Amino acid sequence: MSRPQAPSLRLASLHLLVLWSFAVAQPLFDLLGKNGEFFAARGSTRWDAVVFALVLVFVPPAVLLGLECTVARSLRWAVHAIVVAALVALFVLQTVRGAGAPGWLLVVVATAVGVVAGELYLRVGGARLALTVLGPAPLLFLALFLFNSDVSRLSIAKDAQAAGERPHAPVVLIVFDELPLNSLLDARENVDPRRFPSFARFASGSTWFARTTTVAEGTTHAVPAILTGRFPRAGEFPTYADHRQNLFTLLGGATDLHVLDDETHLCPPALCPGLEGSLGSRATTLAEDTGVVYLHQLLPDDLTGGIPSIADGWDNFLRDASADHDPGQIDPEFVASLRPRSNATLWYLHVMLPHSPWRFLPSGDSYDVRQAPGWGPDEVWTENQAAVDQYWQRHLLQLGYADRVLGRLVRRMRATGLYDRALVIVTADHGVSFRAGEKRRPLSPANLQDIAYVPLFVKLPGQQRPRVVRLHARTIDVLPTLAGALGLRIPWELDGHSLIAPRPPERDVVLVKDRGKRFVIPVGQLDTRRERALRRQLRLFGSDEPASTLFAVGPDRRLLGHSIEGRRRVDDLDPLDGTGPLVQVSGRVSGARSVIVAAGGRVIAVAPVAGGRFWALVPRKALNHALPRVYAVR
């Protein structure tokens, strides 16, 4: 080989730009370009995406070149070779990350290839020539991202056009997230008053539309459907620019708006100043989230355990993974504003509960345990139903916290006198499914009954007596129902109908996937499937019992609180995990359908077994400083 040679500064800068584009910019462009919701869910416009793309392509290579220029000229070639090797290693690691080998081995392989590439770059002129020839590639990647991806469909922000309708009563609309109707129900198909007392009390003084279905699989389409009264349409993003006719523009100008929603951005800045946050905070969050996305794109799956999940939303990945982040802590200013006012007022709150990550108890205390096998990037659950059942258990525990949050809000409204005067609507955007080997939330033929049904309670001004309506309703009926209850005229065409006025019967349930594909299923057929799903849930978790009984899961849950006489001891246990109010006891056992966890001679938790594995959640206080003992149930 020839003697190492340092390229000219001009060529060095071009080569860094090319390598950075292949190693970092293009993989991100490819992923984010197919998921425009990453930008839309944070309220980004097309211009925001343009600035993001330009910065991503050009600024990091410029910074790298500047760092190289700070070292002595005699060492610059070595530093440049190290940077080249690192960028090549990043590119190679993404290429081989799915090879199935251990992650550490793939990192070693990628690093070795990078070192060889750095040496070739300095010694072989053909290697440098190849990078020079690839010089136009960064501009091509940039153009494809901006003009031939989802980003090209982001709209330019427009001024708000408000209809200025004035409601004759205050309006409070609360939307919970990822809450299937069945999760609230007991064996009589009523709201379970023992596990979810706040929802049950609210139902006891409102109209419950007990067969309500969403129209979309995810927040970015389901929430706009609630706020516009329209079915989702292909190519729409959850922003004001794509939904200029919505609840906020209907009332804005004549009504004071108090809006809290981090996931959708239908209230224009002119009507909801400050909702988007400062430019600096948005840029910081975008940079953080892009870094998290890239790490998931870069690293083999077995090396991503400590990286925040990107499956729980579209933004704020670091915040949502933080132990300090509590979606149930509603902005105090918003809560304080819940009182009668002289002006017409709307309060809208999108609560990210009981949405994953599931780490809150009904008390509001948070916990952190080692994750059982869950779902992959395709949102397909593991094949082990016992692992999936633990996530279901955690969902129900967190739903208890959502119930607590609702109770706090209602108590505040009652204390100030707002509750009786107001139209109060409580609903959710979509459900979630817990079926091993099936989709967790994206609609599929196997999970429609789990995703479709959501709660919908409408308390009219002055209403005190309960009413249950079991005719099919849809979340696109929320806005026309609100308008009908308050005598408002909606100046645009709706797909939904008022639920308090005569309406045509709906024979089919229509559910729309994020990309526009539709599932159409007869109402009666889907409701039969929902009833079967409820019976399955009741067999696992029971009902009409305190939340503490959720620590007994599966066919042997009746053993909770009993003695442990005559049981076979299980000794193949994983290390105990959990530093908060919960402890996870997991391990392996053969020839058993369940395990019981005992302390002080009594059963304190029950968990199902599948594939010879089990995962049991145990309240730390039930251990009373003793080590748990595990026994098999044949």
Side-chain angles (χ1 to χ4, degrees), residues 122-324:
L122 288 178
R123 295 182 179 275
V124 179
R128 298 190 293 276
L129 177 61
L131 290 179
T132 303
V133 172
L134 290 173
L139 296 179
L140 176 62
F141 298 154
L142 185 65
L144 290 173
F145 177 70
L146 294 177
F147 302 110
N148 192 36
S149 72
D150 281 0
V151 170
S152 65
R153 298 190 284 108
L154 286 173
S155 300
I156 303 299
K158 296 181 173 66
D159 294 334
Q161 299 177 355
E165 292 285 329
R166 181 183 176 86
H168 62 68
V171 182
V172 181
L173 174 56
I174 302 173
V175 179
F176 287 92
D177 204 294
E178 206 172 73
L179 171 50
L181 173 64
N182 275 356
S183 294
L184 288 171
L185 301 185
D186 61 19
R188 297 179 299 278
E189 296 205 27
N190 295 322
V191 178
D192 193 325
R194 297 201 67 186
R195 285 188 178 160
F196 310 113
S198 298
F199 278 99
R201 281 195 295 269
F202 189 80
S204 69
S206 64
T207 302
W208 176 26
F209 296 94
R211 294 296 179 268
T212 300
T213 56
T214 186
V215 296
E217 67 182 4
T219 298
T220 55
H221 290 93
V223 168
I226 293 171
L227 296 176
T228 65
R230 290 172 166 169
F231 278 112
R233 288 162 174 79
E236 291 178 332
F237 290 120
T239 62
Y240 162 69
D242 279 6
H243 300 279
R244 294 193 296 275
Q245 295 172 319
N246 63 64
L247 173 63
F248 309 120
T249 57
L250 175 68
L251 302 181
T255 304
D256 292 339
L257 303 180
H258 298 267
V259 178
L260 277 185
D261 189 354
D262 289 338
E263 299 298 313
T264 62
H265 301 269
L266 271 64
C267 189
L271 299 177
C272 299
L275 186 62
E276 304 292 343
S278 67
L279 177 62
S281 65
R282 294 203 310 273
T284 299
T285 302
L286 179 60
E288 292 174 345
D289 290 345
T290 302
V292 173
V293 169
Y294 181 70
L295 288 176
H296 279 280
Q297 183 83 347
L298 171 70
L299 296 175
D301 291 341
D302 61 345
L303 298 182
T304 59
I307 302 173
S309 172
I310 58 175
D312 296 321
W314 290 103
D315 59 357
N316 290 304
F317 303 133
L318 290 177
R319 183 202 68 180
D320 292 347
S322 169
D324 297 328

Side-chain angles (χ1 to χ4, degrees), residues 364-388:
D365 294 328
S366 64
Y367 63 92
D368 183 21
V369 296
R370 182 174 52 246
Q371 298 289 322
W375 64 90
D378 54 1
E379 294 227 36
V380 173
W381 283 109
T382 174
E383 295 287 346
N384 190 305
Q385 186 62 53
V388 178

Side-chain angles (χ1 to χ4, degrees), residues 1-5 77 117-128:
M1 289 188 179
S2 62
R3 182 179 178 183
Q5 297 180 14
W77 69 271
E119 184 70 14
L120 288 175
Y121 175 82
L122 288 178
R123 295 182 179 275
V124 179
R128 298 190 293 276

Side-chain angles (χ1 to χ4, degrees), residues 612-626:
R613 290 282 292 163
F614 66 89
W615 296 266
L617 291 179
V618 180
R620 183 176 293 277
K621 62 182 180 181
L623 292 173
N624 195 24
H625 305 291

Side-chain angles (χ1 to χ4, degrees), residues 402-487:
D403 182 85
R404 188 182 185 91
V405 171
L406 176 63
R408 288 203 303 254
L409 293 169
V410 171
R411 283 194 299 274
R412 167 65 185 178
M413 288 186 277
R414 287 188 182 277
T416 62
L418 175 64
Y419 186 81
D420 290 335
R421 306 181 192 185
L423 169 67
V424 184
I425 300 176
V426 175
T427 188
D429 55 357
H430 55 78
V432 65
S433 182
F434 298 92
R435 299 176 184 273
E438 300 291 348
K439 296 281 189 180
R440 181 184 76 98
R441 199 208 61 212
L443 289 166
S444 72
N447 70 13
L448 299 180
Q449 65 275 24
D450 306 320
I451 309 300
Y453 289 90
V454 295
L456 174 58
F457 306 98
V458 178
K459 190 209 74 68
L460 299 171
Q463 181 177 357
Q464 295 182 348
R465 296 182 179 276
R467 180 172 173 242
V468 179
V469 178
R470 298 195 181 275
L471 297 177
H472 178 233
R474 305 162 300 176
T475 51
I476 54 173
D477 299 329
V478 170
L479 181 61
T481 301
L482 181 154
L486 299 177

